Amino acid sequence: MTRLRALCTAVALVCASGQVLADTASHNASAEKFLMMAHADKLGTPVYMQVQQMFAQRFEQTKAPASKKSVLDSYQAKANAALDQAIGWNKLKPDMVKLYTSTFTESELKDLVAFYQSPLGKKVLEKMPQVTQQSAQLTQQKLESAVPVVNKLLADMTNELDPNAGKAAPAKK
């Protein structure tokens, strides 16, 4: 009887673990679908562009002749390969899936997919990068007026804490 009970328990555990694996696979698939819709595979694109621009600027700074453009192209390709090894989608995807599956339930991910498939969701995907950039610019512009005030407050606090901090050290004789 004990063997039968142990066998039944083992079978139940195998069945349950199969369900957990199926649930995990389904949850991961929902995360992957959302990440593809959100163009997460393109997250590194600005970094690639910035690095390419750095190489192009350095090429110009060295005043290299146009005949040396193949050297620039070669180094840009090498830089892309290095970036692929660090932040290529195949490197980021497993961690991104894990991040999204630990943050959102499978049901929530399916709801996000449904939203981003709607006309409004498609518009959000299309417009959000521009809105985010413009929001950052607006914040930066507004912040500029606070910088002198914050710097003065910092200087005032420093003087209050250490009145000698803003004064030149006395000359030694």
Side-chain angles (χ1 to χ4, degrees):
M1 187 68 176
T2 306
R3 282 185 179 173
L4 181 60
R5 186 173 285 154
L7 182 60
C8 289
T9 301
V11 168
L13 286 174
V14 167
C15 290
S17 68
Q19 182 61 38
V20 167
L21 290 175
D23 289 347
T24 300
S26 177
H27 197 179
N28 287 349
S30 294
E32 286 183 40
K33 185 171 184 176
F34 169 73
L35 288 166
M36 287 298 99
M37 290 188 72
H39 307 292
D41 57 325
K42 305 287 187 253
L43 285 173
T45 300
V47 175
Y48 283 79
M49 290 172 48
Q50 188 174 17
V51 168
Q52 295 301 305
Q53 186 177 7
M54 286 172 30
F55 277 87
Q57 286 173 344
R58 181 62 53 92
F59 183 79
E60 286 180 28
Q61 289 170 353
T62 63
K63 298 184 184 350
S67 63
K68 296 278 189 177
K69 179 141 179 359
S70 63
V71 172
L72 169 64
D73 295 340
S74 170
Y75 277 92
Q76 286 177 322
K78 290 175 186 177
N80 281 346
L83 291 172
D84 286 344
Q85 289 298 313
I87 62 166
W89 181 238
N90 62 331
K91 298 288 185 180
L92 290 177
K93 182 179 170 184
D95 292 332
M96 294 292 281
V97 168
K98 192 180 298 182
L99 172 64
Y100 277 79
T101 56
S102 67
T103 304
F104 299 103
T105 66
E106 183 174 359
S107 176
E108 290 169 334
L109 287 165
K110 287 180 177 181
D111 288 347
L112 284 168
V113 167
F115 170 71
Y116 284 114
Q117 287 176 332
S118 74
L120 177 59
K122 289 176 183 176
K123 184 174 183 177
V124 168
L125 283 174
E126 178 189 339
K127 300 292 183 180
M128 196 52 69
Q130 298 160 346
V131 169
T132 301
Q133 182 181 15
Q134 290 173 346
S135 296
Q137 289 171 345
L138 288 170
T139 302
Q140 182 65 35
Q141 290 169 354
K142 301 291 184 189
L143 179 62
E144 288 175 10
S145 67
V147 169
V149 174
V150 170
N151 285 339
K152 172 136 180 27
L153 291 169
L154 185 60
D156 291 348
M157 182 188 80
T158 301
N159 288 333
E160 186 173 331
L161 293 173
D162 183 4
N164 295 321
K167 298 176 184 172
K172 292 188 178 183
K173 294 183 181 182

